């Protein structure tokens, strides 16, 4: 099996293939060629791949029905810990003698080392039960139940009796029953079992089922995932404090029921009620409870019993930009940002915040220390975060370029936002599968940028074919010749003329010098460049 540390690789490869056939839009709705949005597990698969918990294959497939072996299952499950590289290296050293006995990939050795260190498996298990008949054993539903429950930090209670509704409850090993009960309580396992009312502990786990279990587990994690750059010994300190008598809170209204409202202050969602004389204003104007709506940004004064003394709705928002200094994904997520102006600021992050990374809707988990961010904020509460990865891939369309002065490229991403990317001096550029000079890149080209330390180190580009027609309005003969036409949509459009452009007038091959104003020209395009001109007088 192919395991890929860069969880976007399969998506990138797929898009390269699609670009080559100029049919990117045909498959744009699906991340993989063998699973689409109608598949029951599509949302789970998309989420775990974006989070980096699972990977696809080099042939752009996910293989949702393929069985998972024990080693790969542990690779995927232990990614929930999101451990720093240095800690994994220490675990490898600790278990190097044992793992050296087996022919395993480095990725599988990493997963087993973490699993051994975290108590998911034992050395005896690895020595005696990892392989069967010379092959790594297939993972079962019981295996995954045990591993995920331990990863989520189950606390077993001595002497507890577990009662299940499964028809085959007796087949669940006694030692594993606490784990089954734990995952049922968390909503990861179905209390009623499968369609036949069975648990099926020995059933092989397939990749789509594993994706669902990992996705649900991530949402219910009781442990605190460690993000690179934020150590357990040096966490981001939570800001603010619990409301006390006369304390001020800042937050977002999440819902309203009768005279109760629920407010997310970035640390927790809590309910509040009103007094008869509670002062309520919306953007400075007096208002009533019925005018309050979910999504409103508020400042309030509350008593120790969560009674609102006053509540002010403020539609004002700040837009700040900077670099992530630290990020904490604990129960109350927060982010420390070095602002572009030189100051440092900490933001609380509410549960349902919208996050974009490189122009694509993503997850808070995907942001890293050193990434650039633009934050829409209300005081110290982040309302939305748009991040630009320090390292990674960006997919988009070239909208502008400045190679001579600033060595920059402007790219429009999937959500229609644009961003200026700094290009490295030693840049690898490919266009239509051929190595080219940077100046061969054209606005309109579809590109995949590889970014390292905040700069573009390579560009994979494909021209976008197109057509247009209209009356010639202007001809500019220069080092980069241009042609302006007034098309049938009433638009005055300027195109560059390729040095290799084929020009025919009345079916005879001509040159740019034979073109005249008011000729009606039919153009074939590659991005913003004319490659063929046909004129019939």
């Amino acid at each position: 099996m192919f395991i890929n540390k860069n969880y976007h690789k399969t998506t990138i490869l797929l898009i390269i293939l699609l670009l080559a056939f100029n049919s990117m839009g045909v498959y744009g709705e699906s991340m993989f060629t063998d699973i689409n949005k109608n598949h029951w597990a599509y949302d789970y698969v998309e989420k775990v791949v974006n989070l980096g918990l699972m990977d696809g294959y080099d042939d752009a497939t996910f293989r949702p029905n393929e069985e998972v072996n024990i080693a790969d299952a542990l690779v995927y499950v232990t990614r929930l810990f999101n451990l720093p590289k240095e800690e994994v290296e220490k675990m490898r050293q600790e278990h190097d003698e044992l793992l050296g006995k087996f022919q395993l990939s480095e990725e599988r050795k990493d997963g087993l080392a973490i699993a051994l260190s975290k108590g998911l498996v034992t050395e005896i298990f690895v020595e005696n039960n990892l392989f069967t008949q010379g092959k790594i054993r297939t993972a079962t539903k019981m295996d995954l139940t045990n591993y995920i429950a331990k990863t989520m930090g189950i606390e077993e209670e001595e002497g507890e009796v577990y009662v299940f509704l499964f028809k085959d409850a007796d087949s669940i090993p006694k030692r594993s029953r606490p784990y089954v009960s734990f995952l049922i309580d968390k909503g990861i396992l179905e209390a009623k079992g499968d369609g036949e009312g069975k648990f099926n502990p020995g059933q092989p786990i397939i990749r789509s089922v594993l994706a669902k279990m990992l996705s649900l587990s991530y949402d219910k994690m009781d442990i605190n995932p460690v993000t690179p750059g934020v150590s357990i010994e040096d966490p981001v300190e939570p800001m603010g404090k619990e409301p006390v008598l006369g304390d001020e809170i800042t937050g977002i209204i999440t819902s309203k029921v009768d005279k109760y409202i629920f407010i997310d202050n970035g640390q927790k969602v809590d309910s509040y009620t009103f007094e008869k004389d509670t002062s309520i204003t919306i953007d400075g104007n007096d208002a009533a409870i019925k005018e309050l709506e979910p999504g409103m940004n508020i400042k309030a004064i509350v008593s120790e019993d969560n009674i609102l003394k006053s509540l002010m709705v403020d539609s004002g928002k700040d837009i700040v930009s900077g670099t992530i200094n630290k990020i904490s994904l604990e129960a109350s997520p927060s982010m420390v940002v070095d602002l572009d102006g030189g100051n440092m600021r900490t933001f609380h992050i509410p549960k349902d915040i919208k996050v974009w990374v490189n122009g694509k809707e993503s997850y808070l988990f995907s942001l890293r220390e050193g990434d650039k961010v633009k934050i829409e904020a209300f005081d110290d509460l982040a309302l939305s975060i748009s991040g630009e990865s320090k390292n990674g891939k960006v997919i988009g369309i070239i909208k502008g370029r400045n190679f001579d002065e600033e060595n920059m490229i402007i790219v429009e991403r999937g959500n229609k936002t644009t961003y200026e990317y700094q290009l490295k001096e030693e840049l690898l550029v490919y266009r239509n599968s051929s190595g080219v000079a940077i100046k061969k890149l054209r606005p309109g080209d579809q590109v995949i940028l590889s970014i390292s330390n905040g700069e573009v180190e390579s560009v994979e580009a494909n021209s976008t074919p197109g057509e247009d027609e209209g009356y010639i309005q202007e001809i500019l003969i220069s080092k980069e010749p241009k042609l302006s036409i007034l098309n049938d949509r009433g638009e005055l459009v300027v195109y560059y003329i390729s040095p290799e452009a084929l020009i025919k007038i009345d079916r005879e091959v001509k040159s740019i010098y034979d073109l005249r104003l008011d000729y009606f020209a039919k153009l074939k395009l590659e991005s913003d460049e004319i490659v063929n001109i046909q004129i019939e007088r």
Side-chain angles (χ1 to χ4, degrees), residues 468 471 473-474 483-487 489-495 523 525:
D468 205 352
Y471 291 95
Q473 301 296 300
E474 185 177 4
L483 183 72
S484 300
I485 66 166
L486 182 65
N487 62 27
R489 299 182 299 278
E491 301 168 336
L492 183 64
V493 189
V494 180
Y495 295 107
L523 312 178
L525 311 168

Side-chain angles (χ1 to χ4, degrees), residues 24-245:
M24 185 174 177
V26 175
Y27 297 99
E29 293 295 315
S30 181
M31 180 177 284
F32 299 104
T33 59
D34 59 347
I35 180 171
N36 59 38
K37 289 194 173 182
N38 294 324
H39 192 282
W40 69 266
Y42 179 83
D43 290 339
Y44 299 121
V45 169
E46 183 181 47
K47 181 175 178 180
V48 296
V49 170
N50 282 329
L51 287 171
L53 298 177
M54 290 188 72
D55 313 292
Y57 290 84
D58 272 343
D59 62 358
T61 62
F62 183 78
R63 304 179 195 176
N65 298 320
E66 184 173 86
E67 294 180 357
V68 184
N69 67 48
I70 285 284
D72 292 333
L74 287 170
V75 167
Y76 294 141
V77 171
T78 55
R79 287 182 183 180
L80 287 167
F81 291 117
N82 196 24
L83 297 175
K85 181 179 179 182
E86 297 77 13
E87 189 170 344
V88 177
E89 289 175 350
K90 290 179 181 178
M91 293 175 176
R92 279 288 300 270
Q93 291 174 5
E94 181 182 351
H95 300 287
D96 185 60
E97 183 177 351
L98 172 63
L99 298 177
K101 297 178 181 180
F102 307 102
Q103 293 294 321
L104 296 167
S105 67
E106 295 302 306
E107 190 82 10
R108 286 171 173 169
K109 287 182 179 179
D110 286 349
L112 282 167
I114 298 170
L116 286 162
S117 299
K118 294 291 187 179
L120 306 191
V121 296
T122 64
E123 291 190 3
I124 294 175
F125 172 87
V126 174
E127 293 223 46
N128 300 325
N129 296 321
L130 183 62
F131 287 85
T132 178
Q133 298 180 347
K135 294 183 179 180
I136 304 175
R137 182 168 67 79
T138 300
T140 66
K141 187 176 182 179
M142 195 73 265
D143 293 325
L144 264 295
T145 297
N146 294 340
Y147 301 154
I148 289 177
K150 291 177 181 178
T151 300
M152 295 179 70
I154 183 175
E155 296 181 5
E156 299 181 39
E157 298 182 14
E158 294 291 335
E160 178 127 4
V161 177
Y162 299 95
V163 178
F164 301 114
L165 301 176
F166 310 122
K167 293 179 181 179
D168 58 348
D170 291 342
S171 64
I172 301 173
K174 191 172 182 179
R175 66 180 180 278
S176 296
R177 293 179 182 182
Y179 306 132
V180 176
S181 178
F182 179 79
L183 293 193
I184 289 174
D185 290 342
K186 293 292 182 181
I188 296 167
L189 292 177
E190 292 286 343
K192 295 181 180 180
D194 61 15
E196 298 178 356
K198 295 181 179 180
F199 180 74
N200 292 318
Q203 183 181 59
I205 284 291
I206 59 175
R207 286 170 56 81
S208 54
V209 172
L210 177 56
K212 177 181 179 180
M213 294 181 73
L214 289 175
S215 175
L216 296 176
S217 300
Y218 175 79
D219 291 337
K220 301 289 184 177
M221 285 279 283
D222 288 332
I223 62 174
N224 295 324
V226 179
T227 301
V230 182
S231 66
I232 293 176
E233 292 78 15
D234 184 27
V236 178
E237 290 293 332
M239 296 292 290
K241 54 186 178 179
E242 292 296 318
V244 296
L245 182 62

Side-chain angles (χ1 to χ4, degrees), residues 289-324:
I289 296 173
K290 64 181 180 180
E291 297 178 66
L292 300 176
E293 299 289 345
M296 287 181 167
N297 308 322
I298 64 94
K299 291 182 180 179
I301 302 296
V302 300
S303 66
E304 59 184 359
D305 49 0
N306 279 20
I307 295 176
L308 294 162
K309 299 294 185 180
S310 66
L311 184 144
M312 178 185 70
V313 175
D314 188 346
S315 300
K317 301 173 185 176
D318 294 329
I319 304 293
V320 298
S321 299
T323 304
I324 297 176

